[in-house]
């Protein structure tokens, strides 16, 4: 007996949107791994039990928003990816608007945007984006997808942790840091575009001693340095 393919999809709920966006963020498109995003990783990121995540992934697969295989993991379908990218675009435009127009600091905007991103009309998002001057990146340096869900490739960035001692670099992006970590970075003068030089590092992936904008030196945890993406200034 042939199985008839679903021809219509149920409109995604807020919870579904959160799942699809989370799966997108957990994907590793440039990795050589043959597996998809794992259930345990989704559960950890959303702080939900694996059993609940499994049930939700099956529902999303039934609606053709993702492909789910128990031993492979999950991957987004075209329709699932479009929803995920819409949420990413809404979130990053909101963060930018909160900083540029309402005076929020970069450690305050994620929680606000997580709530508001689900309730914005396409018209309002575009008006906010145009009012901001059509920015390409949010306050943390993350690229803003265009209206079609496409991210324009940017210059190659590398983690600060992989930068050579005494090599001057500029901070271009901060990925997935907590409000407390963002506040610490701000307290030592860190900002997008900041000039950073690693002056020393403790062995065995120990703390780094860094200089920010030719000012005083500061200590930086190695794990945090992995989340700071930098570029080497052109000669």
């Amino acid at each position: 007996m042939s199985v008839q393919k679903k021809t219509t999809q149920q409109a995604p709920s807020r919870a579904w949107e959160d799942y699809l966006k989370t799966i997108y963020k957990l994907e590793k498109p440039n990795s050589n791994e043959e597996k998809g995003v794992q259930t345990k990783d989704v559960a950890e990121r959303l702080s939900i039990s694996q059993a609940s995540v499994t049930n939700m992934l099956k529902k999303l697969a039934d609606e053709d928003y993702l492909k789910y295989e128990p031993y492979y993991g999950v991957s987004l379908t075209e329709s699932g990816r479009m929803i995920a990218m819409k949420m990413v675009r809404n979130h990053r435009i909101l963060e930018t608007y909160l900083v540029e127009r309402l005076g929020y600091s970069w450690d305050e905007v994620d929680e606000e945007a997580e709530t508001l991103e689900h309730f914005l009309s396409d018209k309002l998002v575009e008006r906010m984006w145009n009012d901001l001057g059509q920015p390409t990146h949010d306050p943390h340096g993350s690229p803003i997808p265009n209206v079609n869900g496409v991210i324009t490739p940017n210059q190659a960035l590398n983690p600060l942790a992989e930068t050579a001692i005494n090599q001057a670099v500029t901070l271009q992006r901060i990925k997935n840091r907590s409000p407390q970590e963002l506040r610490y970075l701000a307290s030592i003068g860190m900002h997008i575009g900041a000039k950073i030089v690693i002056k020393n590092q403790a062995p065995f992936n120990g703390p780094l001693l860094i200089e920010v904008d030719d000012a005083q030196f500061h200590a930086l945890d190695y794990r945090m340095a992995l989340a700071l993406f930098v570029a080497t200034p052109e000669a």
Side-chain angles (χ1 to χ4, degrees):
M1 179 184 297
S2 61
V3 178
Q4 186 174 4
K5 186 176 180 180
K6 179 184 286 289
T7 56
T8 60
Q9 291 176 308
Q10 183 177 335
S13 65
R14 174 179 172 178
W16 289 14
E17 290 170 343
D18 282 337
Y19 269 84
L20 295 171
K21 186 178 74 169
T22 297
I23 292 167
Y24 163 74
K25 289 187 172 182
L26 289 170
E27 286 182 334
K28 300 177 181 178
N30 298 320
S31 172
N32 293 324
E33 295 182 12
E34 296 182 358
K35 290 188 175 183
V37 174
Q38 300 300 295
T39 302
K40 64 179 180 61
D41 295 326
V42 179
E44 181 179 347
R45 181 67 66 90
L46 293 174
S47 299
I48 300 174
S49 70
Q50 289 195 45
S52 296
V53 169
T54 297
N55 290 334
M56 180 63 84
L57 296 180
K58 289 178 179 178
K59 291 179 183 179
L60 290 168
D62 288 342
E63 293 294 329
D64 197 36
Y65 287 122
L66 55 79
K67 296 178 181 178
Y68 173 67
E69 299 177 27
Y71 298 103
Y72 168 81
V74 296
S75 58
L76 296 172
T77 62
E78 182 178 353
S79 58
R81 184 171 299 279
M82 286 300 296
I83 292 170
M85 297 307 288
K86 178 180 179 180
M87 290 300 102
V88 171
R89 177 174 169 81
N90 286 4
H91 188 100
R92 293 177 180 173
I93 289 175
L94 267 167
E95 287 194 332
T96 308
Y97 196 88
L98 289 169
V99 169
E100 297 294 331
R101 295 291 184 265
L102 301 181
Y104 279 66
S105 60
W106 68 359
D107 59 282
E108 298 177 304
V109 293
D110 184 67
E111 184 176 357
E112 296 277 16
E114 282 289 338
T115 300
L116 296 172
E117 67 188 29
H118 302 278
F119 306 108
L120 298 181
S121 68
D122 293 344
K123 182 178 181 179
L124 178 56
V125 171
E126 294 314 300
R127 287 198 173 185
M128 292 169 66
W129 184 62
N130 283 309
D131 179 65
L132 289 165
Q134 301 183 353
T136 58
H137 292 76
D138 73 8
H140 309 109
S142 297
I144 298 174
N146 67 20
V147 70
N148 296 315
V150 177
I151 292 178
T152 303
N154 205 342
Q155 65 187 121
L157 303 179
N158 297 301
L160 175 63
E162 298 177 3
T163 302
I165 301 294
N166 292 321
Q167 170 67 63
V169 292
T170 58
L171 180 62
Q172 299 295 318
R173 186 179 184 185
I174 303 173
K175 294 186 69 175
N176 301 326
R177 293 298 91 192
S178 69
Q180 294 84 357
E181 290 170 321
L182 289 170
R183 283 194 289 273
Y184 174 72
L185 292 173
S187 74
I188 63 173
M190 200 74 77
H191 59 90
I192 299 301
K195 176 185 174 183
I196 308 171
V197 179
I198 299 176
K199 307 304 290 187
N200 201 356
Q201 181 182 358
F204 309 112
N205 295 337
L208 289 72
L209 181 66
I210 63 171
E211 182 184 50
V212 181
D213 284 337
D214 298 316
Q216 66 188 71
F217 296 166
H218 302 279
L220 187 70
D221 182 78
Y222 178 81
R223 290 170 298 176
M224 193 180 294
L226 286 171
L228 305 184
F229 285 78
V230 299
T232 303
E234 296 182 3

